Amino acid sequence: MKQYIVDAFTDRAFHGNPAAICVMDQWPNEQLMMDIAMENNLSETAFIVKEEDLYHLRWFTPTCEVGLCGHATLASGFTILNFYDKDSDKVTFKTLAGNLTVSKSNGMYELLFPNIPLQPMEITEDIVVALGCLPEEVVMGKELDLICVLQDANQVKDFVPNAELIKKLPGRMLHITAPGIGKYDCCSRCFGPKIGILEDPVCGSAHCQIIPYWAKRLGKTTIDAWEASLRGGALQGEILNDEQLIIRGNATLFAESDIRTS
């Protein structure tokens, strides 16, 4: 199969969030997909097969399949629109999260994604211990991730994650966020030791929750976000309605290769 490694949410190699994109004529067995994801050891390896009029897309971390991934969807859209459907400006993927669309727009890529509802959460002792500080607020994306709101960007940037403490917290992943600096409305970092990722460099699905939080708090419909990981990455989110939002970002190709499993 053909494999592309694409850095998502950046226009420069070695920044943003790298995803491996495997494009195939038919599905291999799940163990092989898991083995490839483990071999790549990236936060996500995506597998794509065209079925009738739609591309079927699945995402794997080094330890499991996941139900929603933003950066690997952006990277998948970049791959299909630049190497397979070069005359198209839009591609729709059939996924576990429903049909997801990636479009080219003004030199960027737009993802039409779910606007994930948030609910307030109690600030527990486990949360305070894991963060090393008292958050301003804690919310949970519906059946998904824990979001802890900190006072300033330095707390986000300087946070040192402890995998064992994070594993004790509710939710699939932990996201910490705070007001941004300069042109950015917010900053964040994202951690997923429960799914085999200590830190996800730039997490698109996290911003299906982080962007609605800051949009409501700031009274805005468009949010410019910065992921303050070591690699760093920029995203723009736009609230469409209570059910959908757009996430915009850039992507760049790092590598193109053939996978040989025998």
Side-chain angles (χ1 to χ4, degrees), residues 8-9 17 19 44 57 59 66-77 100 102 111 113 172 200 202-208 235 247:
F9 297 116
N17 199 352
E44 245 81 26
L57 171 63
W59 310 282
V66 295
L68 180 64
C69 179
H71 85 279
T73 303
L74 173 60
S76 296
L100 301 176
V102 181
L111 292 79
F113 260 39
R172 180 192 66 152
D200 197 6
V202 191
C203 185
S205 63
H207 286 81
C208 295
L235 313 88
I247 295 177

Side-chain angles (χ1 to χ4, degrees), residues 88-153:
S88 298
D89 291 325
K90 181 171 71 173
V91 58
T92 299
F93 294 108
K94 180 181 178 182
T95 78
L96 290 175
N99 288 353
L100 301 176
T101 299
V102 181
S103 306
K104 289 182 181 180
S105 178
N106 298 319
M108 301 180 76
Y109 293 86
E110 290 187 348
L111 292 79
L112 185 61
F113 260 39
N115 181 344
I116 296 177
L118 303 172
Q119 59 184 23
M121 294 288 288
E122 177 187 357
I123 300 175
T124 64
E125 182 178 353
D126 283 345
I127 290 174
V128 174
V129 170
L131 296 177
C133 66
L134 181 67
E136 288 187 348
E137 188 176 1
V138 176
V139 296
M140 175 78 83
K142 184 180 180 183
E143 299 177 355
L144 198 57
D145 301 334
L146 187 70
I147 302 166
C148 295
V149 183
L150 306 185
Q151 187 173 2
D152 62 58

Side-chain angles (χ1 to χ4, degrees), residues 37-225:
M38 289 176 63
E39 184 78 11
N40 286 327
N41 200 31
L42 298 173
S43 56
E44 245 81 26
T45 295
F47 296 90
I48 300 172
V49 173
K50 190 169 188 180
E51 297 177 328
E52 297 179 350
D53 294 333
L54 293 180
Y55 288 95
H56 192 163
L57 171 63
R58 296 173 69 179
W59 310 282
F60 288 78
T61 77
T63 61
C64 65
E65 184 173 9
V66 295
L68 180 64
C69 179
H71 85 279
T73 303
L74 173 60
S76 296
F78 172 93
T79 300
I80 295 301
L81 295 176
N82 283 280
F83 295 97
Y84 292 86
D85 290 349
K86 297 180 183 180
D87 295 330
S88 298
D89 291 325
K90 181 171 71 173
V91 58
T92 299
F93 294 108
K94 180 181 178 182
T95 78
L96 290 175
N99 288 353
L100 301 176
T101 299
V102 181
S103 306
K104 289 182 181 180
S105 178
N106 298 319
M108 301 180 76
Y109 293 86
E110 290 187 348
L111 292 79
L112 185 61
F113 260 39
N115 181 344
I116 296 177
L118 303 172
Q119 59 184 23
M121 294 288 288
E122 177 187 357
I123 300 175
T124 64
E125 182 178 353
D126 283 345
I127 290 174
V128 174
V129 170
L131 296 177
C133 66
L134 181 67
E136 288 187 348
E137 188 176 1
V138 176
V139 296
M140 175 78 83
K142 184 180 180 183
E143 299 177 355
L144 198 57
D145 301 334
L146 187 70
I147 302 166
C148 295
V149 183
L150 306 185
Q151 187 173 2
D152 62 58
N154 285 332
Q155 287 179 299
V156 173
K157 189 182 75 168
D158 296 339
F159 176 66
V160 179
N162 181 307
E164 295 310 311
L165 294 177
I166 293 173
K167 286 179 181 178
K168 295 179 181 179
L169 305 182
R172 180 192 66 152
M173 295 180 71
L174 166 68
H175 309 307
I176 59 174
T177 186
I181 297 173
K183 68 178 182 179
Y184 296 106
D185 297 300
C186 65
C187 65
S188 63
R189 287 173 65 193
C190 305
F191 309 95
K194 290 181 183 178
I195 56 173
I197 308 164
L198 178 56
E199 180 166 5
D200 197 6
V202 191
C203 185
S205 63
H207 286 81
C208 295
Q209 303 154 89
I210 292 170
I211 286 168
Y213 173 85
W214 287 106
K216 182 177 180 180
R217 176 164 162 170
L218 299 176
K220 302 176 70 173
T221 57
T222 300
I223 295 294
D224 288 303

